[in-house]
Amino acid sequence: VSPYPFQHRQRGHQHRRRTFSVLLTVLLRRRQNHLTFPYRSTLSGDQQHSGVFVAEMGSSKILIDGEVSNDESSVHYDFDLFVIGAGSGGVRASRFSANYGAKVGICELPFHPISSEVIGGVGGTCVIRGCVPKKILVYGATFGGELEEARNFGWELNEKLDFNWKKLLHKKTAEILRLNGIYKRLLSNAGVKLFEGEGKIIGPNEVQLTQLDGTKLTYSAKHILIATGSRAHRPDMIGQELAITSDEALSLEELPKRVVIAGGGYIAVEFASIWRGMGATVDLLYRKELPLRGFDDEMRAVVARNLEGRGIHLHPKTCLTQLVKTESGIKASADSGVEFEADVVLFATGRTPNSKRLNLEAVGVEVDEMGAIKVDEFSRTNIPSIWAVGDVTNRMNLTPVALLEGTCFAKTVLGGEPSKPDYSNIPCAVFCIPPLSVVGMSEEQAVEQANGDVMVFTSTFTPMKYTISGRQEKTLMKLVVDAETDKVLGASMCGPDAPEIMQGLAIALKCGATKAQFDSTVGIHPSAAEEFVTMRSVTRRIPAKKPKTNL
């Protein structure tokens, strides 16, 4: 018998009459009591009877394949599921749960392009102040260089090209407002009840909603899902209030002419590319030797070379120490002794989970030292009725991963289909100019994890378009292969259209493709993508690590 009453709602009454077990499931559904899942890992020793499943239901216990026992009271909840946070993960989990027949409520802070502890918006970071508006600005920044290159393709342009920042900003804001409305309609069409206000947890099955006028409402829910995402981190230094984060960077009223960026992650290099592409002078400061820590080292070096080639000033092994307001802007001091004059200083130094105002400590939900909510492989917290997905759990902080986790949550809890998110071979992209995209292992990860030798195949070339436009910039493609099994462990590309190409390769790696299968695939000519199926020669072979000894 399934421990998920919701999955039976759409199956017709005739099925409910067939066995005692199904009748019992109907009883469970009507009572809307809590069933523990994953049940195999939560049963105590005296509950693990052979061929029997014991389900906890509030103060009641039901012995499936046996008799109902200890049934003291039935419990009614206002909602089967209440979600706090209507970003990508929360909206996905809500809609899919409602499709299983659950009664779902969701709350979100009021809309604004720049977030705070009390401002957010349906759609979350990605839609309002993340992936989508950033990509719009990347498109805008890319046109500058392409218009210059167009001259060599016969386009006669005026000597001076003007860029209207406010026009692009207006178009960007209109688009995120449109998407905000679409997300609201998606929830409404799925039958999800949307509340505007701040939610916090006041009990294992209780949520308190503070509305915009300050009034407080309390709702009970069989399951509570936290999907509140994360916020940009501000490092503690003198004058830190003078800097901005990625939130503000997407909504500046004036385009800066001089920019200092602190950080070496994907947000830092993306905004460096955006502002440089729009004509600003950009200084990029980061702690390591290369930007994009965690990515393949060879690809990191290519990105750094491309950033410099496009006029961005790189300052490795350098950190900001203080900011001071001046008549002409901001004076930014670094630990190297160098000082910069800037119109804007951007902190791109990581993100922090949005968990502080959820009242988690009072309820007993465990978090780590960063404030990220601890969950198991099914996204469940240490409190059986409370779950969490997305950036607030700090697992793999990508929008498509939050969607994956939200989908698996709905399948597991409401759909009767236990599902764990699979974090292997998840593709990602850094939308610097040109972009970097990867899937699977880096060379360093493969060498560390592989049992045998690792073969590396690379191809470096000038894109066909650049042979005419004259841009001096190379594309690098790379495959990492297990020498013993011939399985492709990882793929990377830095160059035009890399994310579009890598999405297709992600399917191949997910299916366990071998290098021989890549080689037997006919390429599309002329294209950059065909290089991935024509790399025949091994660039280098890294021997397996020798077994460690105690000597």
Side-chain angles (χ1 to χ4, degrees):
V1 177
S2 168
Y4 306 94
F6 302 109
Q7 67 178 342
H8 298 291
R9 290 181 173 173
Q10 301 171 349
R11 295 186 178 177
H13 294 287
Q14 67 274 19
H15 296 292
R16 297 173 183 152
R17 299 191 184 99
R18 291 182 179 175
T19 64
F20 169 78
S21 296
V22 179
L23 286 171
L24 181 56
T25 305
V26 175
L27 175 61
L28 295 180
R29 186 188 73 248
R30 288 176 179 171
R31 291 183 176 186
Q32 294 185 313
N33 288 316
H34 176 66
L35 287 160
T36 300
F37 184 83
Y39 56 83
R40 295 187 188 279
S41 62
T42 57
L43 297 182
S44 61
D46 62 341
Q47 293 173 323
Q48 297 181 28
H49 306 287
S50 176
V52 174
F53 169 59
V54 179
E56 296 289 347
M57 299 173 52
S59 60
S60 307
K61 288 184 180 180
I62 286 189
L63 188 65
I64 297 182
D65 290 341
E67 296 181 358
V68 180
S69 64
N70 297 338
D71 182 17
E72 297 176 1
S73 63
S74 62
V75 180
H76 172 76
Y77 297 108
D78 298 318
F79 293 96
D80 300 317
L81 169 66
F82 198 96
V83 182
I84 303 177
S88 299
V91 169
R92 171 62 65 85
S94 300
R95 291 172 52 222
F96 281 33
S97 296
N99 289 339
Y100 286 119
K103 183 180 180 182
V104 182
I106 188 170
C107 69
E108 178 55 70
L109 298 169
F111 174 89
H112 194 279
I114 300 173
S115 68
S116 73
E117 290 184 333
V118 293
I119 292 175
V122 175
T125 298
C126 177
V127 169
I128 300 171
R129 61 194 72 85
C131 328
V132 172
K134 171 201 70 184
K135 187 74 179 291
I136 291 171
L137 297 193
V138 169
Y139 281 134
T142 303
F143 276 114
E146 290 183 344
L147 287 170
E148 289 292 346
E149 293 168 21
R151 300 182 194 276
N152 285 334
F153 282 90
W155 290 92
E156 301 297 336
L157 305 173
N158 294 330
E159 288 302 313
K160 189 172 185 304
L161 294 173
D162 293 324
F163 173 65
N164 188 329
W165 163 253
K166 290 188 175 180
K167 183 175 183 178
L168 177 59
L169 198 65
H170 173 76
K171 292 285 188 180
K172 181 271 298 182
T173 302
E175 177 60 11
I176 64 174
L177 285 169
R178 185 184 73 86
L179 293 173
N180 173 253
I182 287 176
Y183 269 66
K184 288 180 178 179
R185 288 194 294 276
L186 287 172
L187 291 169
S188 177
N189 292 341
V192 177
K193 175 66 175 174
L194 173 63
F195 299 89
E196 192 170 53
E198 182 179 13
K200 71 176 182 179
I201 301 172
I202 57 175
N205 299 95
E206 279 192 296
V207 172
Q208 183 182 84
L209 176 70
T210 303
Q211 300 185 108
L212 301 186
D213 62 3
T215 60
K216 297 184 186 324
L217 303 173
T218 301
Y219 295 100
S220 61
K222 184 173 181 180
H223 299 282
I224 298 170
L225 176 66
I226 302 168
T228 48
S230 61
R231 293 178 59 203
H233 168 70
R234 284 180 170 272
D236 185 19
M237 70 173 66
I238 297 172
Q240 61 92 12
E241 71 281 357
L242 299 173
I244 65 171
T245 68
S246 55
D247 280 15
E248 296 86 4
L250 292 162
S251 299
L252 289 174
E253 291 187 8
E254 300 291 338
L255 179 66
K257 294 181 179 179
R258 303 166 300 169
V259 178
V260 170
I261 301 175
Y266 67 95
I267 293 174
V269 300
E270 287 171 346
F271 275 100
S273 291
I274 288 169
W275 279 320
R276 181 59 195 147
M278 293 175 180
T281 299
V282 179
D283 288 277
L284 180 61
L285 289 62
Y286 46 91
R287 290 183 297 175
K288 300 295 182 179
E289 184 68 37
L290 291 168
L292 299 176
R293 180 171 59 91
F295 285 84
D296 186 285
D297 285 349
E298 188 173 14
M299 307 308 293
R300 295 169 67 197
V302 171
V303 169
R305 187 164 62 245
N306 289 344
L307 292 175
E308 284 190 308
R310 290 187 178 244
I312 296 167
H313 306 300
L314 303 186
H315 304 272
K317 297 184 176 180
T318 305
C319 295
L320 286 181
T321 55
Q322 72 171 17
L323 305 177
V324 177
K325 183 69 175 173
T326 66
E327 290 185 3
S328 60
I330 301 170
K331 183 175 73 174
S333 302
D335 56 4
S336 61
V338 179
E339 293 183 344
F340 306 88
E341 282 289 333
D343 302 311
V344 164
V345 175
L346 171 68
F347 286 158
T349 50
R351 296 182 66 84
T352 303
N354 275 330
S355 62
K356 189 186 300 183
R357 294 169 64 93
L358 292 171
N359 197 42
L360 299 180
E361 184 177 353
V363 182
V365 175
E366 294 179 354
V367 299
D368 66 14
E369 62 279 1
M370 286 183 59
I373 298 174
K374 295 181 179 181
V375 293
D376 65 14
E377 56 193 352
F378 291 95
S379 297
R380 190 177 212 169
T381 73
N382 61 302
I383 306 299
S385 56
I386 301 176
W387 312 68
V389 298
D391 287 12
V392 75
T393 65
N394 197 32
R395 286 176 283 182
M396 185 175 283
N397 298 338
L398 298 168
T399 296
V401 174
L403 295 173
L404 170 66
E405 291 170 356
T407 300
C408 290
F409 163 82
K411 286 182 177 180
T412 297
V413 181
L414 289 316
E417 185 183 339
S419 303
K420 308 174 190 176
D422 180 4
Y423 298 102
S424 64
N425 292 318
I426 290 177
C428 66
V430 180
F431 289 99
C432 45
I433 303 175
L436 165 68
S437 193
V438 304
V439 63
M441 296 184 191
S442 66
E443 179 178 338
E444 293 73 31
Q445 289 170 331
V447 170
E448 182 67 30
Q449 298 178 32
N451 294 320
D453 292 2
V454 171
M455 296 188 298
V456 177
F457 298 80
T458 61
S459 176
T460 303
F461 58 92
T462 300
M464 184 178 180
K465 180 180 177 182
Y466 294 168
T467 63
I468 303 300
S469 71
R471 179 174 290 280
Q472 300 300 306
E473 191 172 82
K474 300 286 188 180
T475 286
L476 172 64
M477 293 179 171
K478 182 173 185 177
L479 291 176
V480 179
V481 180
D482 186 307
E484 182 177 351
T485 64
D486 199 43
K487 184 176 179 180
V488 179
L489 303 176
S492 307
M493 175 181 174
C494 185
D497 303 316
E500 311 298 332
I501 294 170
M502 202 56 56
Q503 182 66 80
L505 292 189
I507 300 172
L509 266 68
K510 198 73 173 177
C511 294
T514 63
K515 183 62 169 62
Q517 289 171 326
F518 270 66
D519 294 343
S520 66
T521 301
V522 177
I524 298 173
H525 183 75
S527 71
E530 67 179 316
E531 288 292 319
F532 273 115
V533 298
T534 58
M535 288 189 274
R536 301 285 191 266
S537 301
V538 178
T539 303
R540 56 186 168 273
R541 184 178 182 126
I542 301 98
K545 286 189 172 182
K546 294 181 179 179
K548 293 181 179 179
T549 69
N550 294 324
L551 298 177

